[in-house]
């Protein structure tokens, strides 16, 4: 059976790779659970100094697997998707993201919680929550207006406008936009090894200090977003939009 989350060690660097290419790395409940567990274990393992989160050189993730999501939708804060969010948010080790191809929904919002982000210039990022009758998640309703301003954030969250990796880098949502997915993976791993070579406690303390301001507010916003997201999933708007999406996507 194919592993949908591939975990690989290279010295002090742990790579967590999304591996569901036939579904454009769409995330299932099981994948969220595996990611959450892997992040928790890495955080507790003193021999892990840095983490790379990536997909393939052609696709990061198309977001939630809608069919899987609707079969057993999240009902409380212990649902796999929210466990993953908490694990990434709580991770003390630096996390480096490598993004090529599609980064949809949580594939974009999770980047707001990574420490270094490298993208392919032609990567396509999008948060179509409202388009699916849903609402923003993972702190995006707070962090995007803070980082990009209210007007640009409204275009991304209310209209669900897509943007490129080049734009993400220009807007400060990524460290750099590179020529292709292979270059992105190389750069992400190079950066992770640079981090891993530094004093681990100093890196972790620095990360904690940078993230401390506003952390309590962010946690409150994520919880409020999560409960609202659960309610929105049951709404007639979301049911109609998600059903239409599944029907359109069916072969």
């Amino acid at each position: 059976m194919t592993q949908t989350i591939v975990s690989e060690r290279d010295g002090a660097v742990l790579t967590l790779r999304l591996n569901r290419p036939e579904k454009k790395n769409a995330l299932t409940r099981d994948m969220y659970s595996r990611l959450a567990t892997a992040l928790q274990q890495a955080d507790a393992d003193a021999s892990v100094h840095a983490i790379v989160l990536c997909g393939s050189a052609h696709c990061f993730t198309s977001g939630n697997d809608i069919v899987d999501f609707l079969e057993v939708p999240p009902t409380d804060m212990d649902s796999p998707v929210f466990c993953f969010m908490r694990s990434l948010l709580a991770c003390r080790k630096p996390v480096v993201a490598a993004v090529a191809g599609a980064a949809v929904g949580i594939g974009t919002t999770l980047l707001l919680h990574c420490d270094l982000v490298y993208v392919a210039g032609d990567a396509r990022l999008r948060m179509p929550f409202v388009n699916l009758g849903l609402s923003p998640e993972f702190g995006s309703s707070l962090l995007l207006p803070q980082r990009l301003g209210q007007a640009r954030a409204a275009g991304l969250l209310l209209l669900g406008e897509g943007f490129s990796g080049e734009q993400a880098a220009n807007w400060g949502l990524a460290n750099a936009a590179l020529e292709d997915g292979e270059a992105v993976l190389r750069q992400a791993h190079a950066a992770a090894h640079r981090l891993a070579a530094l004093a681990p406690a100093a890196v972790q303390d620095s990360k904690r200090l940078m993230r401390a301001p506003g952390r309590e507010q962010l946690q409150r916003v994520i919880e409020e977003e999560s409960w609202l997201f659960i309610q929105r999933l049951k709404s007639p708007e979301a049911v109609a939009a998600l059903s239409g999406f599944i029907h359109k996507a069916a072969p």
Side-chain angles (χ1 to χ4, degrees):
M1 184 177 179
T2 303
Q3 287 184 302
T4 55
I5 303 295
V6 177
S7 179
E8 300 168 328
R9 279 291 296 271
D10 183 6
V13 174
L14 172 69
T15 297
L16 298 176
R17 178 166 57 86
L18 309 180
N19 184 40
R20 201 175 174 226
E22 73 282 4
K23 295 292 185 180
K24 297 182 180 178
N25 292 336
L27 294 159
T28 63
R29 286 166 286 145
D30 178 67
M31 292 170 74
Y32 281 126
S33 293
R34 290 177 184 274
L35 284 170
T37 298
L39 287 168
Q40 292 163 16
Q41 290 175 344
D43 207 38
D45 186 346
S47 70
V48 175
H49 293 181
I51 301 164
V52 174
L53 182 58
C54 64
S56 71
H58 307 289
C59 181
F60 185 52
T61 174
S62 57
N64 282 313
D65 183 305
I66 300 299
V67 174
D68 180 84
F69 209 57
L70 292 180
E71 281 181 355
V72 183
T75 56
D76 56 37
M77 294 302 106
D78 290 327
S79 297
V81 61
F82 300 134
C83 290
F84 162 68
M85 289 181 185
R86 285 198 302 276
S87 298
L88 181 56
L89 190 66
C91 189
R92 296 169 298 171
K93 310 293 176 70
V95 179
V96 182
V99 180
V104 181
I106 197 167
T108 293
T109 60
L110 71 82
L111 302 178
L112 301 173
H113 306 281
C114 295
D115 301 290
L116 297 173
V117 178
Y118 297 98
V119 296
D122 61 356
R124 296 304 302 171
L125 299 89
R126 191 177 177 217
M127 295 167 285
F129 302 119
V130 172
N131 309 70
L132 294 173
L134 300 171
S135 51
E137 37 86 321
F138 213 173
S140 55
S141 66
L142 172 68
L143 296 177
L144 286 172
Q146 284 181 344
R147 297 187 185 185
L148 303 181
Q150 194 70 30
R152 181 165 285 160
L156 301 182
L157 291 176
L158 297 183
L159 294 177
E161 293 175 342
F163 57 105
S164 68
E166 195 72 44
Q167 287 173 304
N170 289 338
W171 296 345
L173 297 179
N175 292 80
L178 304 171
E179 58 269 26
D180 56 35
E182 295 291 350
V184 167
L185 292 171
R186 288 195 300 270
Q187 180 61 41
H189 282 96
H193 280 283
R194 286 179 61 192
L195 287 166
L198 300 171
V203 171
Q204 292 175 39
D205 282 344
S206 298
K207 172 174 177 170
R208 177 179 55 80
L209 289 169
M210 286 192 292
R211 300 225 171 224
R215 185 176 181 85
E216 291 183 2
Q217 182 189 19
L218 175 59
Q219 290 172 324
R220 288 195 302 270
V221 168
I222 291 174
E223 184 168 354
E224 181 181 0
E225 288 174 338
S226 299
W227 282 116
L228 183 58
F229 198 91
I230 289 170
Q231 296 171 35
R232 292 294 318 155
L233 276 171
K234 304 172 186 176
S235 70
E237 293 174 338
V239 170
L242 292 168
S243 297
F245 177 87
I246 292 171
H247 179 73
K248 182 178 178 181

